[in-house]
Amino acid sequence: MKVSNSSNAARFNLGKTMKLGVVGLATTGVLGSALLLTPDNTPIAQAQTAGAATTTMETAVFNQINAYRATQKLPALKLNSTITTQARNHSVTQASTKRMSHDGFQTRINTIGQTVPWSGAAENVAYNYGYSDPATVAVNGWIKSPGHLANIKGNFNLTGIGVAKNSQGQVYFTQIFIRSR
């Protein structure tokens, strides 16, 4: 796996004069695709945000992670919309740049902390390509990785999951774990 970048609010240049932040997309409910352009307005990639397919994958990750936690006799995580927004924004950035990373993690959890006071935080990211069930591939990869598994089994009570798919069919996943105060 590779690793990529997200700052507090990735910006998508939708034309020469119009810019729209991903946070604005998520909070206004105008979800769909964001066309990314280079500074000279050349399209780089089209990253799908919370369309039906990506929302279905987010739900699948959530259910599979909680099912795994249940086998370990751990409490289920509760989905939180503030955390999900940050996870989605990061996945869109990763899909758009075709780079997976934890860059901007501190900014994401600081933003979450403005709404959800927390005492612990962690993040898992993944991407895959060409699988019929990308969500299961991502979750199984995390479970097989000691560091990612530690986050899944960690003392957290809230989570948010974001999935984005770019025009090349690469699917990027972000799951943020929070222990609220």
Side-chain angles (χ1 to χ4, degrees), residues 24-139:
L25 284 170
T27 46
T28 61
V30 181
L31 302 172
S33 294
L35 180 62
L36 260 122
L37 304 173
T38 63
D40 69 349
N41 288 327
T42 305
I44 313 174
Q46 193 143 33
Q48 185 181 16
T49 56
T54 55
T55 301
T56 299
M57 285 188 273
E58 290 170 358
T59 301
V61 169
F62 177 71
N63 290 337
Q64 290 175 42
I65 293 296
N66 273 337
Y68 179 82
R69 286 177 60 92
T71 68
Q72 304 299 301
K73 305 205 183 320
L74 296 169
L77 298 169
K78 183 178 176 189
L79 202 56
N80 177 280
S81 63
T82 298
I83 303 167
T84 294
T85 296
Q86 291 301 308
R88 282 180 179 161
N89 292 346
H90 186 54
S91 288
V92 167
T93 298
Q94 292 179 103
S96 300
T97 60
K98 299 182 219 165
R99 291 181 55 237
M100 188 181 71
S101 84
H102 294 288
D103 292 352
F105 175 65
Q106 189 65 49
T107 301
R108 286 188 290 287
I109 61 173
N110 288 344
T111 300
I112 291 165
Q114 294 171 6
T115 307
V116 180
W118 57 267
S119 60
E123 176 180 78
N124 285 351
V125 297
Y127 95 94
N128 60 57
Y129 173 76
Y131 292 96
S132 61
D133 186 356
T136 297
V137 171
V139 170

